[in-house]
Amino acid sequence: MSRAVPGSRFRSKSSKSLSRKSLALVAGAALAAPLALTGTAQAATAAESAYTVTPLKFTVSAGGRSCTVDADLYRPAGADALHPVPAVLATNGFGGSKSDGSTDGIGKAFASRGYAGLVYSGLGFGKSGCLITLDDPETDGRAAAALVDFLGGTRAADDGTKADFVTQDGPGDPTVGMIGGSYGGAIQMATAAVDPRVDALVPLITWNDLGYALAPNNTGTARGVSSDTAGVFKWQWTNGFYLMGEGQTILAPSLDPSRFGSLDCLHFAARACDTIRLLNSGRYPDDRTAEMLAYARSVSPVSYLNRVKAPTLLIQGQADSLFNLNEATATYRTLKAQGTTAKMIWQAWGHSGGQVEGELDLGQGNLESSYVGGRILAWFDRYLRHETATDTGPEFAYYRDWQSGYGTADAVPGLTRTMYLSGDGKLVDNRAKVARGSRQYTNWLIPTSHSESSLAGLIGLPDPKPYDTKGTYLGWTSAPLGSAVDVVGAPKATLKVVSPRTERVQNSGDAADKLVLFAKVYDVAPDGTRTLVNRLVSPVRVPDVTRPFTVRLPGIVHRYEAGHRLEFAIAASDSAYFGNRGIKPVTVVSAPGDTGVLELPVVGGTGK
């Protein structure tokens, strides 16, 4: 059941999205504003107290190497051995450093509120050494654990500086929480998996399974968001990561001289680089690729969440084609199932934009004045300051642009409304209304559909609106809605397609010959304008075209207004992904007793 958030502390302004400040993907170089926690925000309302900032270096052992970690220590005025304070540890998003506005902003924001802040450049970035391992717990996690040692008073920085002003839960056990986004979000779970001293986590816009994020398949799900069938290579985002990593200066301290023989991959650990190279080879998927994706999965939370016991407030962005809402949902459900304290918020902005006035902006430090910021402060009050009476807010909350305040629920909404794919192209609300019929589409050898923002769009160049080319997709459209329909969560479709050409080759042992398609749901206005919510699409490599299969679409929060129509579509290709080998005609047959189904997580009214 959806309801408004009670209490002024957790209220937020609701407004339409401002102009996008998309992450700038610089071809051949780097993301100019990599995975930054940005938004349009008001100044923090809390009175700021003085603090000092001390640059520090740490030499740590991580992943069998000795690595230098570049950090800044934020010390609140008055904090000393007699007046200790809890600590907040944070690092940057991929491609950034401790000096990013949002990362640096974390240190400032929490130091001004009486926390000790330790903000550092992640391994392989900024002036920190060692190679990029994609947040491997045994490398990046161990490096962060060494910084927890510093906060616990059992080690000093390289210059002898000690943190003798941090609250301790026990000998060598500091009271410390972690916060950060994207790459700086996954590192929190990697650290908590190897170091139980971490007391609270606040990961923003991060992943559950990097294998899924880089090569998603939304059918045949076996664990978390992971699929037991090879996925569809997300080439735009994956190569964005590669360019960010390799776009760093050749004099970066992360550079390992042993990598000079691999001039196309100087800054990544070998297995991380091999994964990207192999995905780009066009041989995907095969046994070698499966081995590489196993590495991506092994350094992802899906593989070690069973070791994460720290209370975790998950914050995920609705506008995010890199790490969609399903990733956070999978992490949330795993943590809850194993008894780890966890709550989840779906805010507006993510890697694909979506900034909204009044929402959290860590670079500006607007914690008290934003809904999400208030939830973060409450989380740390409860688990770092041990204020047991503090209300940490509802179990699940989601930003909505059609109504003031966040909606909340006791759990992520389930699938409550079913619609059927009729043979005449209609999306109907009763199986008895299904008309018998069949329709066909064919893929071309070039992409004919465009959904997610392209490379051009990410660097501010003209980016076309989502489109599908006639003859290369099928759509099923509902009647105009009699009242508004509020969808909160991940829709699910059950499909059966016919593709004789795929059937002949799908069991050949070459998984790349399986059929690839892309599912999505449009909002069609009365004037015929089609809107793809947050430009999200669901890539699918069909396990077996002789059997029905289910497709989990990306989670959304969207009101389909009265008079609008829903259109469920499956397309042959998408410009952000690799697609089919060869031309594969596909037919969808519908009959009253055997038809496709679309299920929607609807809150509130039925919309009939």
Side-chain angles (χ1 to χ4, degrees):
M1 178 179 179
S2 175
R3 58 185 184 274
V5 180
S8 60
R9 182 170 194 176
F10 296 145
R11 286 193 180 131
S12 167
K13 293 185 177 180
S14 175
S15 68
K16 297 295 180 182
S17 176
L18 303 178
S19 60
R20 293 180 51 170
K21 301 182 200 170
S22 298
L23 304 175
L25 181 53
V26 180
L31 283 176
L35 312 190
L37 306 180
T38 61
T40 302
Q42 301 172 347
T45 56
E48 293 190 359
S49 57
Y51 55 83
T52 60
V53 184
T54 305
L56 298 174
K57 300 286 187 183
F58 298 88
T59 301
V60 304
S61 177
R65 294 176 179 267
S66 178
C67 307
T68 297
V69 175
D70 183 33
D72 285 336
L73 177 64
Y74 292 77
R75 179 171 180 165
D80 56 30
L82 296 178
H83 306 90
V85 295
V88 173
L89 180 64
T91 189
N92 51 274
F94 196 91
S97 74
K98 69 174 187 179
S99 301
D100 290 344
S102 56
T103 311
D104 172 68
I106 292 173
K108 294 175 179 177
F110 285 96
S112 67
R113 291 167 176 81
Y115 289 90
L118 185 59
V119 175
Y120 70 100
S121 297
L123 297 185
F125 298 108
K127 295 182 180 179
S128 287
C130 284
L131 297 168
I132 300 167
T133 66
L134 306 179
D135 278 343
D136 183 351
E138 294 304 322
T139 302
D140 300 88
R142 294 293 179 189
L147 302 186
V148 176
D149 290 339
F150 168 74
L151 296 171
T154 59
R155 69 170 294 159
D158 290 357
D159 67 358
T161 298
K162 293 184 177 181
D164 58 356
F165 53 90
V166 175
T167 305
Q168 303 291 303
D169 295 326
D173 182 1
T175 304
V176 57
M178 296 185 73
I179 184 173
S182 197
Y183 203 72
I187 187 59
Q188 298 175 49
M189 291 177 277
T191 304
V194 299
D195 193 337
R197 294 174 296 173
V198 179
D199 297 291
L201 308 177
V202 183
L204 295 94
I205 61 171
T206 195
W207 66 87
N208 171 267
D209 179 5
L210 204 56
Y212 169 85
L214 302 183
N217 191 13
N218 290 288
T219 190
T221 299
R223 181 166 58 121
V225 286
S226 307
S227 174
D228 53 11
T229 301
V232 184
F233 178 37
K234 189 187 290 185
W235 72 269
Q236 285 191 0
W237 273 118
T238 304
N239 282 294
F241 278 119
Y242 173 76
L243 294 172
M244 277 190 288
E246 292 304 280
Q248 299 180 86
T249 172
I250 198 169
L251 299 178
S254 61
L255 185 61
D256 183 338
S258 68
R259 301 313 300 277
F260 283 123
S262 178
L263 293 179
D264 62 336
C265 200
L266 293 171
H267 297 282
F268 288 87
R271 293 185 69 191
C273 187
D274 286 348
T275 298
I276 296 173
R277 270 200 304 243
L278 196 58
L279 289 171
N280 271 316
S281 71
R283 294 191 293 116
Y284 176 75
D286 58 17
D287 291 343
R288 179 66 174 155
T289 307
E291 178 186 338
M292 292 297 98
L293 284 177
Y295 170 75
R297 189 157 292 161
S298 74
V299 298
S300 296
V302 67
S303 294
Y304 54 75
L305 276 175
N306 62 315
R307 292 184 277 156
V308 176
K309 306 301 180 184
T312 302
L313 177 62
L314 292 157
I315 301 168
Q316 203 77 351
Q318 296 175 33
D320 203 322
S321 60
L322 177 58
F323 306 135
N324 64 42
L325 297 176
N326 296 5
E327 301 242 29
T329 303
T331 298
Y332 169 78
R333 286 174 170 158
T334 299
L335 292 174
K336 295 292 290 185
Q338 69 190 29
T340 299
T341 299
K343 293 185 177 183
M344 183 167 63
I345 303 172
W346 289 354
Q347 64 179 16
W349 59 263
H351 291 88
S352 303
Q355 288 80 13
V356 177
E357 183 180 0
E359 288 298 279
L360 174 69
D361 182 339
L362 287 176
Q364 296 294 325
N366 65 333
L367 296 174
E368 283 84 1
S369 64
S370 65
Y371 173 79
V372 174
R375 293 287 304 272
I376 293 170
L377 288 175
W379 199 255
F380 282 167
D381 282 349
R382 173 66 181 83
Y383 296 108
L384 299 185
R385 286 182 167 150
H386 304 301
E387 297 175 0
T388 57
T390 297
D391 178 9
T392 59
E395 190 73 19
F396 170 59
Y398 52 94
Y399 175 81
R400 51 193 179 185
D401 63 4
W402 67 86
Q403 186 175 349
S404 178
Y406 271 64
T408 72
D410 295 330
V412 180
L415 300 167
T416 58
R417 183 175 181 186
T418 301
M419 305 186 79
Y420 302 91
L421 280 56
S422 180
D424 55 5
K426 294 179 180 179
L427 191 60
V428 298
D429 59 8
N430 190 310
R431 191 182 292 273
K433 297 179 181 179
V434 173
R436 186 180 303 274
S438 64
R439 296 188 298 151
Q440 185 181 87
Y441 72 83
T442 302
N443 69 286
W444 297 356
L445 296 182
I446 59 174
T448 55
S449 287
H450 176 67
S451 297
E452 298 177 1
S453 296
S454 66
L455 296 179
L458 290 172
I459 61 175
L461 297 176
D463 182 35
K465 294 180 179 179
Y467 65 81
D468 299 293
T469 302
K470 185 177 181 180
T472 67
Y473 81 101
L474 293 177
W476 291 264
T477 307
S478 74
L481 298 171
S483 59
V485 171
D486 297 340
V487 174
V488 179
K492 185 178 76 170
T494 302
L495 301 171
K496 173 68 167 64
V497 300
V498 179
S499 179
R501 179 161 183 172
T502 301
E503 187 176 348
R504 286 195 298 269
V505 299
Q506 70 177 6
N507 297 320
S508 66
D510 184 355
D513 267 341
K514 291 181 182 292
L515 176 67
V516 172
L517 58 83
F518 300 84
K520 44 197 168 183
V521 180
Y522 286 95
D523 181 336
V524 184
D527 65 0
T529 302
R530 300 163 83 223
T531 299
L532 184 58
V533 180
N534 288 319
R535 304 185 69 151
L536 296 173
V537 63
S538 181
V540 173
R541 191 178 297 274
V542 180
D544 184 348
V545 294
T546 67
R547 299 174 180 273
F549 57 96
T550 60
V551 179
R552 178 71 66 176
L553 283 79
I556 59 172
V557 177
H558 182 68
R559 167 166 285 185
Y560 295 84
E561 297 286 359
H564 287 225
R565 294 172 292 156
L566 284 80
E567 180 188 5
F568 174 71
I570 56 174
S573 62
D574 194 273
S575 59
Y577 298 82
F578 277 9
N580 290 286
R581 284 186 179 175
I583 297 174
K584 291 183 171 70
V586 176
T587 302
V588 179
V589 179
S590 297
D594 181 17
T595 185
V597 174
L598 175 66
E599 298 174 85
L600 300 168
V602 175
V603 299
T606 63
K608 294 183 178 178

